[in-house]
Amino acid sequence: MPFISLTSLEKSFGATQVVRSFDLALEKGEFVSLLGPSGCGKTTVLRLVAGFETPDRGDIVIGGESVLKKRANQRRIGMVFQSYALFPNLTVAGNVAFGLRVAGMAKDDSARRVGEMLEMVGLSGLHDRFPWQLSGGQQQRVALARAIAPRPQVLLLDEPLSALDAKIRVSLRTEIRAIQRELGITTLFVTHDQEEALSMSDRIVVMNGGRAEQIGTPQQVYDRPATRFVAGFIGTLNLIEGQVTRHEGALTLASAAGHLPLPDTSAQGPVAVAIRPQALHPCPPDQGHLTGTVRQIEFLGAFTRLHVVCAGVTVQADCFARDLPQGIAPDQPIGLRVAPQDCVVMA
C-alpha cells in the first residue's frame, strides 16, 4: 500500500482549472519530483498536500488516512519554500527551534535537536547568527533544518534551489538528497529545472496543463518519453517526421532526409521519431541513415555539437572531439547513423 496516495485531484481558481484528474502514489521514503513549465499546476499539487489549499474533488491519503479534514499543522508535514521564509528577528537556532517550541518540546531536548539538525546541514557554529548575516545557500540550509527538526512524515520542497547561483545549487541538491536518504523521509519536490529532477529523483512526474503527462524513473522519462510534450521538455531532442515502412526488409521511417531504422512498433502511417543528439553518430554521407550539410559546429567542453541541415530540418548530433570526421567544417556534407533502439516512435 502506498504511503501517500493522491487520487483524482482537481482544483480550480475561478474559471481556470489548474489541476485536472491528478493521480500519484508515493512509497515510504521515496523522492518524487513534480517537473513542468510555469503554470502547469505542480505547486498547486504541493499546496494541496500541505493543506494550504483544498481540492475541489479527489482525496489525499497519508499513512493510510485521509488528511482532507486535517489542517496544515495537523498533517506532520515539513515544507521548504523558494523564498526561505525565515523569521528575520530570530537567530539560526531560534528559527530551527520554532516548530519544536510550538510542539511543546522541552527546552533541553529542543536545544539538542537543533544542534543535531545544524550539524546535519553543515551549519554547526552558526547558532547565534541572524538570517541577514547568512548567504542564500546558508539560509536555505536553515530552512531545511527547520522543516525536518520536528521529524515530519512528509517533506515538501517548493523550488528551494531556484534563487541560488548555479554552483551552490548543484552542491545543495546533493546535500538535500543525502539528508533525505539518511532520514528516509518521503519527499515531494517541485522544480522546473529538468537537471535537478533527473539528478535527484527516484521518479519524476512530468506535468502539463494540470495533468501528469508521464510518471517514471529519470531514465524512463529521458530515454522513452511517452508524449511529444515530454519528448520536447526533457533534454535536447530531434524529431524526424516520416512514414513507417519497410526498406530493404527492415522496419524504417521513410523521411525526406533518409531512412531511419526502427525498433519493433505497432505504429503505422505518419509518425515522428525522437532521437537524442548523443545517439546520432557522424559518418560519410553514403553510409548515413540521414544525410545533410553541416551548418554549425559548437564546442561545448565535454562534447562537440553538430548542427546538420537534413532536407530542411536542423538536426543536432553530440559527439566527442575524437569521433568527429577529419577536417569536418560548415557547409560540408555529412551522414548520421543511429541504432534502432535509440529511435523512439511518437504516434
Side-chain angles (χ1 to χ4, degrees):
M1 183 179 186
F3 183 65
I4 301 177
S5 294
L6 313 181
T7 307
S8 302
L9 287 185
E10 296 195 0
K11 180 64 178 178
S12 296
F13 296 103
T16 303
Q17 190 169 15
V18 180
V19 178
R20 306 165 184 264
S21 302
F22 187 86
D23 296 285
L24 178 64
L26 287 81
E27 300 299 327
K28 192 170 182 60
E30 194 175 19
F31 191 111
V32 175
S33 291
L34 302 179
L35 174 66
S38 297
C40 71
K42 55 189 186 294
T43 294
T44 301
V45 170
L46 204 73
R47 291 177 63 83
L48 290 172
V49 176
F52 300 151
E53 304 287 351
T54 302
D56 300 327
R57 296 182 187 82
D59 197 8
I60 300 170
V61 174
I62 299 177
E65 180 184 5
S66 175
V67 297
L68 288 188
K69 295 183 179 180
K70 290 188 175 184
R71 297 190 302 273
N73 63 350
Q74 297 175 318
R75 297 189 182 191
R76 290 189 59 204
I77 285 173
M79 188 156 182
V80 179
F81 300 90
Q82 176 182 350
S83 59
Y84 317 140
L86 299 178
F87 300 111
N89 59 319
L90 296 181
T91 62
V92 166
N95 268 280
V96 177
F98 180 80
L100 305 177
R101 189 168 69 248
V102 170
M105 180 177 283
K107 190 173 182 179
D108 289 347
D109 293 337
S110 174
R112 185 166 50 253
R113 180 76 61 79
V114 168
E116 292 171 356
M117 293 300 100
L118 290 179
E119 183 177 357
M120 181 173 285
V121 299
L123 293 179
S124 295
L126 300 184
H127 293 62
D128 297 328
R129 291 197 185 180
F130 287 89
W132 58 269
Q133 296 175 305
L134 304 175
S135 67
Q138 289 172 327
Q139 289 185 55
Q140 198 57 288
R141 285 181 173 89
V142 175
L144 177 62
R146 182 180 62 184
I148 61 179
R151 295 181 179 167
Q153 57 183 348
V154 179
L155 179 62
L156 304 179
L157 304 170
D158 187 11
E159 304 209 41
L161 308 178
S162 61
L164 305 174
D165 67 51
K167 189 173 182 179
I168 294 175
R169 198 160 60 235
V170 171
S171 172
L172 195 51
R173 77 188 186 202
T174 302
E175 294 176 28
I176 288 174
R177 187 63 165 119
I179 291 170
Q180 184 268 337
R181 282 194 173 114
E182 182 179 342
L183 297 176
I185 186 169
T186 310
T187 301
L188 196 57
F189 176 76
V190 163
T191 181
H192 63 272
D193 187 317
Q194 54 188 269
E195 186 177 312
E196 284 180 5
L198 291 169
S199 65
M200 297 177 72
S201 312
D202 293 314
R203 286 187 299 146
I204 296 173
V205 183
V206 183
M207 293 187 64
N208 182 35
R211 291 189 173 91
E213 290 259 338
Q214 184 174 357
I215 302 175
T217 66
Q219 186 169 359
Q220 288 169 343
V221 170
Y222 185 85
D223 289 339
R224 291 289 178 267
T227 67
R228 290 200 186 199
F229 173 81
V230 177
F233 188 76
I234 303 289
T236 304
L237 198 75
N238 300 299
L239 279 176
I240 310 295
E241 305 277 351
Q243 294 269 347
V244 176
T245 184
R246 287 197 171 270
H247 178 69
E248 297 179 352
L251 193 65
T252 66
L253 179 87
S255 72
H259 286 81
L260 288 171
L262 296 181
D264 290 338
T265 178
S266 59
Q268 298 180 354
V271 298
V273 167
I275 308 172
R276 295 291 178 191
Q278 63 269 25
L280 288 168
H281 306 288
C283 64
D286 59 351
Q287 297 177 22
H289 295 120
L290 300 174
T291 57
T293 303
V294 177
R295 186 182 73 178
Q296 183 181 354
I297 302 173
E298 282 186 283
F299 176 70
L300 298 175
F303 60 90
T304 297
R305 175 164 293 171
L306 300 178
H307 298 257
V308 180
V309 179
C310 301
V313 176
T314 299
V315 174
Q316 299 180 54
D318 294 344
C319 58
F320 295 115
R322 65 173 180 267
D323 297 327
L324 286 172
Q326 187 142 11
I328 190 70
D331 300 325
Q332 287 189 349
I334 194 172
L336 298 170
R337 294 189 65 81
V338 62
Q341 64 267 25
D342 290 326
C343 295
V344 180
V345 177
M346 314 295 296

